[in-house]
Amino acid sequence: DRLLPEVPSLPEDKPMLRLWAAAHVIKKPHGACEDASFVDTHALGVADGVGGMAEFARHGVDAAKYAAELMAFSCEALKPEGPASAGKVRSAAERAAVALAHGESHALAYGASTVAVLCLQGSQIGVANLGDSGFMLLRSSPQGMKVLVKSTEQQHWFNCSYQLTRLPQKLLRRMPNLHLDKAIDCELYSADVHEGDLVIMFSDGLRDNLHDHEILGIVDRALPPAQADMLGLLGKYTPPEAIAKALALAAEEKSIDPTARVPFAETSKCLGGKPDDITVLAAWVVSDETKPHPDALDMEELLEEMELAEAVEAAVAEAAAIEAAAPEAAEAAEAAAEAGEAGEEGIAETLGEEDRRAFLLNAFSRNPSAKGFKREGKGKCKEHRGPRQLGKRSSKRVRRVANLK
């Protein structure tokens, strides 16, 4: 009997994946910012210009401009018509490497820079990394976000990372034995991604000042779009702008803390953070079928709502802390209000007129329900004799009350 050939099973239809990405940059306290980056629906990149190149500025060397050109040409190479397009290069990692090399060969500015380029193709990301910038791939689990893949630093020695360098010939002639790193020296990474994964790319300003557990502690607060969709909370997920900004601000805080125990300090055996340019790119892996489409959202309005919610939360916590710190004053204010004039006279005998007025003002501010005040909206109080405005996020705002007459 002849057996019919087995009919191959059709692959399950899987939604196309894309990146919903954003960047946040914080320049170092002194000097120009030499970081550069790009974000696209299927690619990311970050470059960290070497600040030490500033001593050759008189020769036309500009590390910031060089880093920016590396990013512009690398992004261009990954476009459908570029040399690193999906139709010309097979894998995502190879596409990233070709894009990095294209940036190296086409940049015209003089300078030096680390470079990392990421490409998403199908359900796989590929990364080409040269130096101490890098990336992390995170995935949600019952225990919180976990690091699936993280790039390692490429260094010749401590604080001297691999870097692309382009110098004018008059400088190169002075340094005949200078070894220059090339795009071919980059390390390649590949990883499968799922909808809901989070990709982070960064300059060493983040890596040197935040440990992995600190990064995870921040991103664990984020709600992925895929999970929000399943929970019916599509409008409540965390935008990538918020994640990138939170990480950059946390790194900045550590970088200027002279007592911080940061990764760079552990290697250098010195205490304190490392001031530097900080660039963070955050990208959710989302489906093209995600609705509403992330690019159609009003991100400014969404971020304003998040900041307002944080401000309200901070105001409530501050009011609770003040009330807990002075229960005796609140009780005294209530007793004074109940006692009326007799209570006020008794206070005046011991404190004096000016102190009495200050005491009552402070007491009423801690106890808005006391005589002479009423609630007006969320977190606001108004004196019957005239309106007032609370100071924004100030520990002294409860004392800024209109003078009693």
Side-chain angles (χ1 to χ4, degrees):
D1 294 338
R2 295 181 59 188
L3 297 177
L4 294 175
E6 187 176 285
V7 178
S9 58
L10 295 175
E12 295 181 6
D13 290 336
K14 293 184 179 180
M16 297 297 292
L17 299 177
R18 64 188 293 274
L19 299 173
W20 179 26
H24 193 82
V25 181
I26 300 177
K27 71 178 292 293
K28 53 183 170 289
H30 305 288
C33 178
E34 285 118 357
D35 283 4
S37 64
F38 73 86
V39 296
D40 192 65
T41 56
H42 292 84
L44 305 171
V46 62
D48 181 1
V50 178
M53 290 286 107
E55 66 178 285
F56 304 115
R58 66 184 181 277
H59 299 287
V61 176
D62 187 338
K65 186 176 180 180
Y66 182 63
E69 289 189 6
L70 288 173
M71 290 292 91
F73 287 113
S74 294
C75 181
E76 177 186 89
L78 290 163
K79 299 294 184 182
E81 67 281 2
S85 63
K88 298 178 180 178
V89 184
R90 184 173 57 183
S91 72
E94 290 173 337
R95 290 180 63 194
V98 171
L100 193 156
H102 183 78
E104 177 191 35
S105 62
H106 284 71
L108 298 178
Y110 296 119
S113 178
T114 66
V115 192
V117 177
L118 179 146
C119 173
L120 169 66
Q121 180 172 300
S123 60
Q124 188 176 72
I125 59 169
V127 180
N129 182 64
L130 182 82
D132 57 5
S133 294
F135 85 102
M136 299 174 69
L137 173 62
L138 308 173
R139 182 169 297 163
S140 181
S141 73
Q143 293 76 37
M145 283 286 192
K146 289 188 175 181
V147 179
L148 296 185
V149 185
K150 178 185 177 183
S151 59
T152 57
E153 301 177 66
Q154 287 181 298
Q155 292 194 350
H156 294 290
W157 56 81
F158 172 69
N159 209 27
C160 180
S161 63
Y162 283 37
Q163 55 201 251
L164 295 181
T165 305
R166 186 172 186 271
L167 297 175
Q169 286 298 320
K170 57 184 176 182
L171 282 180
L172 290 175
R173 283 194 293 267
R174 297 181 185 179
M175 300 173 280
N177 297 322
L178 178 65
H179 169 75
L180 299 180
D181 300 314
K182 300 294 183 181
I184 197 173
D185 297 318
C186 71
E187 290 185 341
L188 300 183
Y189 299 83
S190 296
D192 293 328
V193 293
H194 300 162
E195 184 177 4
D197 287 352
L198 178 64
V199 177
I200 298 173
M201 295 195 77
F202 46 81
S203 62
D204 66 335
L206 179 83
R207 184 199 294 271
D208 287 340
N209 289 296
L210 287 184
H211 294 90
D212 284 359
H213 71 270
E214 294 172 314
I215 294 174
L216 292 174
I218 293 172
V219 300
D220 271 343
R221 296 170 173 263
L223 179 61
Q227 292 185 9
D229 193 9
M230 289 189 298
L231 296 172
L233 301 172
L234 191 56
K236 301 298 183 181
Y237 48 71
T238 309
E241 287 93 336
I243 300 173
K245 182 177 180 180
L247 290 171
L249 289 174
E252 180 193 31
E253 184 177 357
K254 285 295 190 72
S255 73
I256 58 177
D257 183 353
T259 63
R261 298 183 180 278
V262 300
F264 183 81
E266 292 175 358
T267 306
S268 65
K269 308 302 181 182
C270 296
L271 192 63
K274 179 192 174 189
D276 199 356
D277 297 325
I278 301 168
T279 296
V280 182
L281 281 61
W284 289 116
V285 178
V286 299
S287 166
D288 268 342
E289 300 174 356
T290 300
K291 297 179 180 180
H293 198 284
D295 290 343
L297 297 175
D298 186 343
M299 296 312 307
E300 290 187 2
E301 180 179 352
L302 186 56
L303 288 173
E304 286 178 1
E305 291 179 358
M306 294 178 64
E307 291 177 357
L308 178 60
E310 292 176 358
V312 171
E313 184 179 352
V316 171
E318 184 179 353
I322 292 173
E323 184 175 355
E328 295 181 0
E331 293 176 1
E334 293 177 0
E338 293 175 359
E341 294 182 359
E344 291 189 18
E345 291 174 0
I347 295 171
E349 291 177 359
T350 57
L351 297 179
E353 181 61 20
E354 292 300 322
D355 290 339
R356 178 188 70 84
R357 289 159 63 87
F359 173 84
L360 290 178
L361 284 172
N362 199 30
F364 276 125
S365 68
R366 289 195 177 95
N367 184 24
S369 62
K371 181 180 178 182
F373 287 82
K374 67 178 181 180
R375 286 283 180 192
E376 182 180 77
K378 292 184 178 180
K380 297 181 179 178
C381 295
K382 180 179 179 182
E383 187 189 6
H384 283 267
R385 296 189 180 92
R388 66 183 176 88
Q389 181 65 41
L390 293 177
K392 186 177 180 181
R393 293 195 183 188
S394 172
S395 60
K396 297 181 180 179
R397 62 180 182 168
V398 294
R399 295 183 174 86
R400 295 175 184 170
V401 185
N403 289 330
L404 291 178
K405 299 180 180 178

